[in-house]
Each structure stands twice: as C-alpha cells, then as structure tokens.
Amino acid sequence: MPTVQLKICIGTTCYMLGASKLMNIETEFPPEWKDRVEVSASPCLGLCEADNVCHAPYVIIDGETIPNASPGRVISEIARRLGEPVPQS
C-alpha cells in the first residue's frame, strides 16, 4: 500500500501566508488515509527566499516542492499520489 510523506513549512512567512490553514489538514483526510499519509512540520524549508516569497506557503510531498499550498491543493495532490479520488468535503 503506497504511503505519502507531507512536510509543511511553518516558518514565519509560510505560516502567515497560509500554512496555518494546513496545520490540521489530517482532520480533512478520509479515514482510509490515516495510515497512508505521514504529516510533519518544518520550522523552515528555506524555499521562500528572495523572489519566491510570493509563492508561499510551501509544502513538500514525497520530495516534490509544492508552492502556493492550500488545503484543497494538498489534498488533491495526496489523492493523486495514492491513486484515490479526491474526497468530497
């Protein structure tokens, strides 16, 4: 069974620009995802330096950087990686 690793940047810039909305993203996962998605937070991923600040917040999913992360975008990406339909809210 495939698993997905999600790392959320909670550095000041990312947090202020939307990562705060990602902090409890696990509560939006369907029950069958609970053991298939590993969620962690990082104090700073170092991705929003200089010109990239406008693309915060950042997450990393299975090693791939995802800019402009929102709960919906992250959940869609996780669903794609798990080969599952996007859960309906």
Side-chain angles (χ1 to χ4, degrees):
M1 178 166 19
T3 61
V4 173
Q5 293 188 355
L6 168 63
K7 186 179 287 190
I8 302 167
C9 181
I10 57 169
T12 304
T13 300
C14 284
Y15 189 84
M16 297 300 293
L17 293 176
S20 60
K21 296 174 185 162
L22 298 169
M23 295 306 299
N24 294 316
I25 196 165
E26 291 172 289
T27 62
E28 298 182 39
F29 294 168
E32 58 271 15
W33 287 15
K34 298 296 182 190
D35 295 332
R36 298 177 67 194
V37 182
E38 295 177 26
V39 179
S40 64
S42 176
C44 182
L45 296 173
L47 297 170
C48 62
E49 298 173 354
D51 295 335
N52 293 329
V53 73
C54 63
H55 298 293
Y58 287 92
V59 300
I60 296 178
I61 302 177
D62 288 342
E64 180 182 345
T65 301
I66 309 294
N68 301 312
S70 66
R73 184 168 186 204
V74 170
I75 288 172
S76 292
E77 184 62 28
I78 291 170
R80 184 182 71 78
R81 289 171 186 269
L82 291 174
E84 301 277 340
V86 176
Q88 300 301 313
S89 308

